Amino acid sequence: MRGKFQDETTWNQAFIIDVYDISRQAYIMSFPIYKIKDEKLKNIMATGDHLYAIIGNSLVVYDFKAILKKK
């Protein structure tokens, strides 16, 4: 479901990941993982510094920015 403040272009071009702090039961932020062709997002895994995503047969790696590392 598209969020209240998410524009339609990003919604159509990306998978939107919501981040929650489960210990405080609080929403932190959302960010996009951009699609590769029409491939499905199969799996994601996060470490302290990176997010790994398998989209179709591709592995993509993202660095977390400082704002997310602090949370």
Side-chain angles (χ1 to χ4, degrees), residues 8-58:
E8 192 168 347
T9 301
T10 303
W11 178 255
N12 291 327
Q13 295 177 353
F15 305 102
I16 306 302
I17 305 300
D18 294 327
V19 180
Y20 292 88
D21 180 334
I22 57 174
S23 64
R24 295 185 309 158
Q25 298 183 355
Y27 168 81
I28 304 296
M29 68 174 52
S30 296
F31 62 88
I33 295 179
Y34 286 94
K35 296 177 180 178
I36 299 174
K37 300 179 185 174
D38 289 328
E39 300 290 341
K40 294 188 182 283
L41 177 64
K42 294 182 176 179
N43 205 347
I44 59 174
M45 185 182 91
T47 65
D49 295 320
H50 298 92
L51 177 85
Y52 299 88
I54 298 174
I55 303 172
N57 292 324
S58 299

